[in-house]
Amino acid sequence: MLTVLVVDDSALMRRALRDALEAESDIRVEIARDGQDALEQVARVRPDVMTLDIHMPVMDGLTCLSHLMVDSPCPVIMVSSLTEKGALATFEAMELGAFDYVAKPGGTVSTDLDGIRRDLVAKIRAATGTPAMSTRQHPPRRGPPPAAPAASAASAGHDRLLMIGVSTGGPRTLEQILPLLPTGAGWPVLVIQHMPASFTSVFARRLDGLCQLPVREVDRPTRLEDDVIHLARGDADITLSRRAAGLSLVPTPLDDQHLWHPSVSRFLQSAQGLLAPGNLIGALLTGMGDDGARDLADWHHKGARTIAEAEETATVFGMPQELINHQGATDILPSHQIGDRLVAWTRTGESA
C-alpha cells in the first residue's frame, strides 16, 4: 500500500485529489493543509510520496520543499497552476529536488482532475518504482540487433536535424545536455518535451539563459535554423513541412491518435520523405510511455543515428526502454555522456 500525503490549502482540491488517488486500490491518502502542517505530519505519516501545492498560507510549497529535502527527503510531486508564475515556481521546485509536477487543469483551485488523474497516478508510481496495477510489459524483440549505422552515413542534401524527445524528468536532463551543444556545428535542434504551453514558454527562456545556442519556443510556423534550439510549444503537436523558405516546423492541433503531446511520434511520421534518415540524429530521454520509440527505431533501421538514455540516469525508463526494445538505439548512454556524443556526431567528419 502506497501512502501519499496531499498538501493543499483548498479543501475542494484536497477532496478532489483524495478521491482521484483512492480510486486506486493500493493508494492511501493523508492530508495536510499547508507547508507547516505537512512538515509536522511527515514523521507521523511517513509518506511514500507527497503532492505539494505551491501557493499556500502559513508556509508555501517552495519553503516546505526546501525544509523537507534537508530534514526528511521523500519524492515530491508539485501540483502547479497553469500560469507563468506557476511555471516559474515549478522549475524552482525542480531545482530544490522535486521529482516532477502535474499542472492543475483549471487554475489554482479545480475539482476537475480527470485530465490529470492518469498523469498524477503514473508519476506517483514512477516516483516510488511501483508498477501500474494493469500495465502490460512489452518484451524485447528477439534475434540479433541490426548493424549500427555509420556516423558518416549522412545522405545527400543539406537538410538535417538533431531531435530530442523527452517527458517525465526532462527539464533537469535537458539542462544537463543542451548547454554542451556548441555554436558553429550547423545543425538545427528540435526538443519535444511533454509539457503545457504555459510551461514551455517559460522553459524556453530558462534554457536560453543556460545554453550556448539560442533557444526559441515554436509557437508559429518557423523555418528550421542551423545552430538554434527549437522547443516545441506545449498543448499542440509539431510537424515538419517543406515551404518556400525551406523546411519549417509547424504547430499543429492535437489529434486523438497520439496519447502524449507534443507528440514525438507524430513529428517523426511527418518528417518521412522530407529528411534523409542519414541526416537525422534522434535521442529519446527519460519519460513515461513509448512516445516516438517505434517511429525512431524505424528511422534507425534506415540509417539514422539514435541514442536511448540508460536506465541508470533515467528518472523514468519508459521511452528509452521502448526504443531499446525495438532495437532502435545506436547507443545507450547515461545522461552525462549524451551531450558529448551529440557534439561528436554533429562535428563534420567525426565518427561516433
Side-chain angles (χ1 to χ4, degrees), residues 149-216:
S152 59
S155 303
H158 176 71
D159 293 325
R160 54 191 182 177
L161 179 65
L162 165 56
M163 185 222 69
I164 298 174
V166 61
S167 186
T168 310
R172 277 194 298 262
T173 304
L174 291 172
E175 289 176 12
Q176 183 179 19
I177 293 171
L178 295 178
L180 298 179
L181 301 180
T183 59
W187 283 69
V189 180
L190 171 63
V191 175
I192 303 176
Q193 160 79 65
H194 299 158
M195 190 177 278
S198 57
F199 282 58
T200 51
S201 59
V202 173
F203 192 38
R205 294 197 299 271
R206 179 182 174 88
L207 287 174
D208 190 59
L210 298 173
C211 295
Q212 301 176 60
L213 300 179
V215 180
R216 300 172 185 165

Side-chain angles (χ1 to χ4, degrees), residues 286-298:
T286 174
M288 291 183 295
D290 61 356
D291 185 25
R294 183 180 295 274
D295 293 285
L296 189 56
D298 289 342

Side-chain angles (χ1 to χ4, degrees), residues 114-278:
D114 289 344
I116 69 165
R117 179 183 176 278
R118 174 183 55 81
D119 194 30
L120 177 60
V121 170
K123 288 181 178 180
I124 286 172
R125 296 193 184 283
T128 60
T130 306
M133 298 295 286
S134 59
T135 296
R136 294 180 59 190
Q137 299 295 325
H138 301 283
R141 293 180 179 179
R142 300 300 180 186
S152 59
S155 303
H158 176 71
D159 293 325
R160 54 191 182 177
L161 179 65
L162 165 56
M163 185 222 69
I164 298 174
V166 61
S167 186
T168 310
R172 277 194 298 262
T173 304
L174 291 172
E175 289 176 12
Q176 183 179 19
I177 293 171
L178 295 178
L180 298 179
L181 301 180
T183 59
W187 283 69
V189 180
L190 171 63
V191 175
I192 303 176
Q193 160 79 65
H194 299 158
M195 190 177 278
S198 57
F199 282 58
T200 51
S201 59
V202 173
F203 192 38
R205 294 197 299 271
R206 179 182 174 88
L207 287 174
D208 190 59
L210 298 173
C211 295
Q212 301 176 60
L213 300 179
V215 180
R216 300 172 185 165
E217 183 193 34
V218 182
D219 59 358
R220 66 195 70 187
T222 302
R223 183 176 64 84
L224 267 181
E225 292 188 49
D226 293 348
D227 295 319
V228 171
I229 298 171
H230 307 79
L231 179 66
R233 181 176 176 81
D235 298 332
D237 285 334
I238 191 162
T239 56
L240 192 65
S241 175
R242 186 172 295 282
R243 301 194 170 192
L247 285 183
S248 297
L249 299 168
V250 182
T252 307
L254 305 181
D255 65 14
D256 296 329
Q257 299 178 26
H258 299 89
L259 182 61
W260 311 95
H261 305 284
S263 170
V264 181
S265 288
R266 190 175 183 187
F267 173 79
L268 290 170
Q269 292 162 14
S270 75
Q272 293 177 7
L274 298 176
L275 285 172

